[in-house]
């Protein structure tokens, strides 16, 4: 049983560009959440998707948007990239309370 | 939303010793407290959790305790091994009744052989 997968593993962008990150949840999981983890810090909640709708959102600007597809996979989009958006972006899937994280996508904004 | 504080930020122990990491939370309605282990280049991995109806839970060398009155919970690792070296995060529900989590700032545990 494959766990949570994310693509790409690494990405380099320049300020002002847009980026799309992808996530496939663990088999049987219907909820996908996205977290941003800056270097040396804990993951910070961006938003959560369930039944193709954003169910809850953390303290992130509208530049961060997402989508969930009928097969439960998800995308995270970030527009107008800033240097401060450089981080590890983690996707987590869940069926109940327990979150299962993917390996993350490391984004570097130059 | 919830606020979680974690101490210490770094912890170095000798192999075989015990390690204790402590967290406090702010929302008295929180009822689920997981702990995650993150190794270099990997995503966080759930290692144990405790729910508000119990005060202690053990799984082999790992135990968690919860004090709801004081709003703090702790992770205890006994007989530490070099493979326990990693960053550990505590967490609590972002909002009551939701599945999202607020994480502590992490503890880098180094087990010296």
């Amino acid at each position: 049983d494959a766990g949570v997968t994310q693509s790409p593993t690494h990405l380099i962008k320049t300020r002002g560009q847009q980026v799309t990150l992808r996530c496939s949840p663990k088999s049987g999981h219907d909820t996908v959440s996205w977290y941003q983890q800056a270097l040396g810090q804990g993951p910070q909640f961006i938003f959560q998707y369930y039944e193709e709708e954003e169910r809850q959102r953390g303290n992130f600007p509208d530049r961060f948007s997402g989508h969930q597809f009928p097969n439960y996979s998800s995308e995270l989009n970030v527009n107008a990239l800033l240097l401060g958006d450089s981080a590890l972006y983690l996707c987590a899937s869940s069926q109940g309370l327990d979150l299962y994280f993917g390996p993350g996508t490391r984004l570097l904004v130059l | 939303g919830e606020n979680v504080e974690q101490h210490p930020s770094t912890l170095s122990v000798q192999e075989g010793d015990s390690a204790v990491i402590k967290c406090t939370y702010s929302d008295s309605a929180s009822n689920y407290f997981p702990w995650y282990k993150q190794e270099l280049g990997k995503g966080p991995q759930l290692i144990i959790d405790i729910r508000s109806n119990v005060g202690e839970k053990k799984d082999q060398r790992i135990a968690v305790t919860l004090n709801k009155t004081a709003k703090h919970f702790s992770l205890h690792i006994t007989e530490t091994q070099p493979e326990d070296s990693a960053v550990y995060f505590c967490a609590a529900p972002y909002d009551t009744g939701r599945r999202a989590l607020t994480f502590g700032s992490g503890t880098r545990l180094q087990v010296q052989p």
Side-chain angles (χ1 to χ4, degrees), chain A residues 40-87:
Chain A
Q41 297 183 22
Q44 283 195 290
F45 174 62
I46 303 175
F47 44 55
Q48 184 181 84
Y49 277 84
Y50 173 70
E51 292 188 342
E52 302 179 51
E53 290 190 359
E54 182 182 294
R55 183 161 71 170
Q56 191 177 16
R57 188 178 185 92
N59 189 26
F60 278 80
D62 292 344
R63 297 187 298 109
F64 290 77
S65 63
H67 189 77
Q68 185 179 34
F69 300 94
N71 67 353
Y72 306 122
S73 66
S74 177
E75 288 182 350
L76 164 66
N77 301 292
V78 187
N79 294 323
L81 284 167
L82 303 174
L83 296 180
D85 294 333
S86 296

Side-chain angles (χ1 to χ4, degrees), chain B residues 11-68:
Chain B
L11 182 58
S12 182
V13 300
Q14 290 296 124
E15 183 177 356
D17 287 349
S18 295
V20 180
I21 302 170
K22 298 182 179 182
C23 289
T24 60
Y25 61 97
S26 60
D27 187 352
S28 58
S30 290
N31 57 6
Y32 169 67
F33 306 94
W35 286 87
Y36 285 82
K37 175 183 181 181
Q38 188 173 26
E39 297 176 274
L40 198 61
K42 296 184 179 181
Q45 177 188 7
L46 178 67
I47 56 173
I48 195 168
D49 64 62
I50 191 166
R51 319 244 166 154
S52 62
N53 59 336
V54 296
E56 184 175 2
K57 181 177 178 180
K58 288 183 180 180
D59 182 4
Q60 299 182 351
R61 297 186 297 108
I62 294 174
V64 290
T65 59
L66 171 64
N67 184 327
K68 287 219 75 180

Side-chain angles (χ1 to χ4, degrees), chain A residues 31 35 37 56 98-99, chain B residues 32 36 38 95 98-99 101:
Chain A
T31 302
Y35 289 78
Q37 186 176 25
Q56 191 177 16
D98 296 341
L99 295 185
Chain B
Y32 169 67
Y36 285 82
Q38 188 173 26
D95 274 322
R98 300 292 191 175
R99 297 183 195 175
L101 296 174

